[in-house]
Amino acid sequence: MTAIPSKAIWAYLLVGCAASIAAMLVGDGMAVGVYTFAAAQLPLVMWWSYRTYDVPKGMVLALTGVGLSFAAGAAIESIFGDTGTPLFISNLFALVGAIVITVGMSMLVRRRRGMNAAGVLGDALIVGLGSWLISWVAFLEPTLRLSDEPVLSSLVAGFYQPTGSVILFLMAVYLFTESTSNVASWLIGGTVLLMLVGDLIYALVTAGHVGDGILVLSTALYTMAYFTVAAAFMHRSVTAIEHSQGTGDSQRLLGRLIITTSSLVFPVIVLAASGPQDTADQIVRSMSALVLAGAVTLRVVFSVRANSDAQAELLRAAQTDPLTGLPNRILLLEQISSYVHEAWRADREPTLYFVDLDRFKNINDSLGHSAGDEVLRIVAERLVNAAPPEAMVARLSGDEYVVLDPTTKTLGSASALAERLLAVFREPIALAQGDVFVTASIGVSSIDSMAAKPEDVLRHADTAMYRAKDSGRNCMAFYDESMHERIAHRLSVETALYRALDRHELRMFHQPILDLDTGEVVGFEALMRWQQGDGTIVSPAEFIPIAEDTGTIVPIGAWALLESLTQLRRWIDDSVCSPQATMSVNVSPRQLADPSLPSIVSEALARSGVDASHLWIEITESVMISEPELALATLQKMKALGVRVALDDFGTGYSSLSLLQRFPLQRIKIDRAFVQGVADNPSDRALVRTIIAMGQSLGLDMVAEGVESLHQIQVLHELGCRKAQGYLISHPVPADAMRSTVSALERIGRFPLLRGEHRAGQL
Ligand code: C2E
Ligand code: MG
Ligand code: MG
């Protein structure tokens, strides 16, 4: 079924108004008929609303009950007369209807999220009792005394009044905690108000305060009430009432407090202003006052308890990590601080183990955040199990945990515990997607100084943890003072490096690569130099890894590429070197992972006017191991451009044959470490022989790096290596020194030793 348009609902309300006015005009007998009809339509509307908007069954049953009971009550009264038993039955029906509404409202309040239902219902009870007291003094007691109706009938009528107050109160609380008020809730609120005013008039009449000519007005109000409640359940916004969230807004709480307090104050005034009429009155008054006082006391007690519970919960929530339930940074710092003050105890040295998962981002990125959360939870559990019972395991943020162990005594026991914590990660973590392995890096720092601030202790452990990451992850590192200095130094280098390019502090040096057969300079390796503002020269071995970490290597590397190629073009044009000479440029893993590398390379080639075949890029194995797919894709693009790729520092890493076969490589550079030992160390020589044999069988070009002695060069040549670079041939030199360097090398011609011309001394 479809929703009824708003306009139709307003029209329906207009009909209601007309019916109510008609009820007033047509006189008592007919009015009850209109009223009965209005009440009787309610079950139908509720059934429709249930089918269309899926309003809760309880609400449907309650309002159906209300409609039927009021209609039945009115019908009985109009058929059998409005005195004696028919009146009693009619009043009973009305009371049943009111109780049904109260129960329904209480259920709504209890179901509403974000509302303290017990508190609201307690307040409602107080309001009801207060209203009962007033109702007793103002209406019920005079009715009982003056009217000739049976006592039971008047009692039923008397109970109806406080029930009405409770309904009004619950309604007010319910509607006014509504975060967004809507049409349906206002219509329901209006209904209750109409009902209550009607009730008030009815009670005034019954108690003899006003003449019964006014009763038609109350009938008209009741009639209108049925139309408004029916309209509420026809309006589509009725669905929102159930689902909206209560707000604990303090202003609204204040409103509630005022209503509740008035329910205490007014009865007291009424009681004080009017004396009891007789003993029965006296008894009812004192009993009611006693019950009211009891209810208030209970309410206050519960309120205070709830308040302190809420405070404790707040404190707990502020100190624990919601994902793992572990203590958070705040609690950890508190605990460290208490140990800082105890640190003078010589027999133990409370120690911090900073545990950081390695490459946790990969799990999040590849398996999704819920898998990441699961990993974090499992790791938390395992750390708690592995840590000594006295230790605190906290989660700082992301993938960082801290184990704070007060029982650590010596360096030995600290490293044993760190080892145990690392062992936690040996078992795979079972996820829905399958098993995953994570490792962690652990930084260890003890709380040994009374002067230390808790934050410092934490930072020390963090520093040590970074050290562990630097030394290849999945290991531990202990904090020492020098680490702190290194970190500070690194930080200053990082900042300076950001500006180095703009400030023209970077320069390219070049080291010639010599063909051992012809004695010709066949190429150059471009090596970056950084001369800082104050003149100090920073070694690339120091600043390249930093540029790599921070990402500055990308713009710096692009600059180096263009600079070196432009230089080669100039040298060729100026006949400094042969027109076939090549330029080797180092490309670090971060650059290789950058998807724009191929376009950076082709742009540098185009701008310098150097053919792609004159460019070698030198990469290290690490990137082929860590991100093989990415590396392969980029290298294939390089190959497509016509650029050749050399594997730098060959032999130092994991170098495997499969690597050489899988990746499009055309050259290997035998690392200096082996070249150094090739002359004197038989095992190095055997290794270099193997490398060369392997390279030859794969048809690769080979360059020996770091050649420093004639003997080395001779052995390398004998083993079949045809190209070399190293201090023996030339140090890396600035561009303007290259002409003299190359011509000096060519003057010497082929290395004399290779021709067997033994000459003593230097070249
Ligand atoms: P690499 O690519 O293996 O470069 C060879 C290193 O060995 C250079 O150190 C060079 O000066 C040095 N060397 C050459 N011959 C000898 C020798 O006979 N004996 C000794 N002891 N050393 C020799 P450098 O210039 O300090 O560069 C260090 C590393 O920094 C390079 O290693 C390379 O990985 C990186 N690098 C240098 N410039 C760049 C660059 O522009 N971009 C990138 N991404 N990395 C660069
Ligand atoms: Mg290199
Ligand atoms: Mg190298």
Side-chain angles (χ1 to χ4, degrees), residues 686-709:
L687 198 82
V688 172
R689 180 180 291 121
T690 314
I691 294 174
I692 293 173
M694 190 176 69
Q696 280 172 339
S697 72
L698 290 168
L700 296 172
D701 187 58
M702 269 163 299
V703 177
E705 288 190 297
V707 180
E708 291 181 353
S709 75

Side-chain angles (χ1 to χ4, degrees), residues 383-647:
L383 287 176
V384 170
N385 290 337
E390 301 84 353
M392 170 187 270
V393 180
R395 177 167 171 243
L396 290 194
S397 64
D399 59 350
E400 298 173 337
Y401 301 83
V402 168
V403 177
L404 173 57
D405 176 35
T407 61
T408 303
K409 291 195 180 96
T410 58
L411 211 61
S413 66
S415 99
L417 176 53
E419 203 42 75
R420 233 175 29 239
L421 296 175
L422 279 176
V424 152
F425 298 92
R426 304 244 161 84
E427 285 272 298
I429 292 179
L431 299 177
Q433 292 95 327
D435 284 2
V436 293
F437 277 95
V438 283
T439 58
S441 304
I442 301 187
V444 186
S445 166
S446 65
I447 307 176
D448 50 5
S449 143
M450 271 188 72
K453 285 208 259 343
E455 287 85 357
D456 291 341
V457 180
L458 197 57
R459 210 184 45 243
H460 291 168
D462 189 23
T463 305
M465 185 277 291
Y466 270 104
R467 172 67 173 280
K469 291 245 186 230
D470 280 349
S471 16
R473 301 186 164 93
N474 193 14
C475 60
M476 63 174 115
F478 284 80
Y479 175 77
D480 67 66
E481 281 299 321
S482 67
M483 262 184 210
H484 185 71
E485 282 152 29
R486 269 201 299 278
I487 296 263
H489 174 68
R490 192 193 146 111
L491 206 67
S492 77
V493 173
E494 257 176 38
T495 353
L497 193 57
Y498 270 116
R499 293 183 226 114
L501 192 57
D502 291 339
R503 293 187 174 174
H504 305 289
E505 292 174 355
L506 299 176
R507 292 176 69 191
M508 296 313 290
F509 274 38
H510 300 271
Q511 188 176 38
I513 299 173
L514 204 68
D515 185 313
L516 298 181
D517 284 337
T518 63
E520 213 187 321
V521 173
V522 288
F524 309 90
E525 176 172 6
L527 294 160
M528 201 182 289
R529 297 290 175 262
W530 178 19
Q531 184 159 23
Q532 287 186 311
D534 58 5
T536 44
I537 303 234
V538 188
S539 149
E542 184 182 341
F543 76 81
I544 294 287
I546 297 178
E548 168 84 351
D549 276 358
T550 56
T552 25
I553 190 67
V554 174
I556 289 178
W559 168 83
L561 199 65
L562 179 62
E563 183 77 7
S564 307
L565 288 175
T566 312
Q567 194 55 62
L568 179 67
R569 174 82 265 154
R570 227 175 276 144
W571 283 335
I572 293 175
D573 291 350
D574 299 349
S575 308
V576 170
C577 59
S578 110
Q580 278 80 42
T582 60
M583 181 60 76
S584 301
V585 181
N586 292 287
V587 167
S588 67
R590 181 80 171 247
Q591 289 172 274
L592 208 61
D594 176 21
S596 57
L597 182 70
S599 59
I600 290 175
V601 169
S602 55
E603 192 190 323
L605 288 167
R607 283 180 62 182
S608 58
V610 171
D611 189 78
S613 62
H614 288 250
L615 173 63
W616 283 94
I617 62 165
E618 296 193 359
I619 61 167
T620 51
E621 300 145 322
S622 60
V623 63
M624 292 187 268
I625 310 265
S626 65
E627 290 186 85
E629 303 312 323
L630 191 70
L632 187 60
T634 316
L635 294 186
Q636 267 155 356
K637 283 184 196 143
M638 290 296 150
K639 195 176 174 194
L641 284 176
V643 174
R644 286 172 294 175
V645 181
L647 186 53

Side-chain angles (χ1 to χ4, degrees), residues 525 586 618 620 648-650 669-672 705 725:
E525 176 172 6
N586 292 287
E618 296 193 359
T620 51
D648 208 348
D649 305 339
F650 188 79
K669 296 190 79 174
I670 305 166
D671 192 70
R672 194 172 73 229
E705 288 190 297
Q725 67 182 99

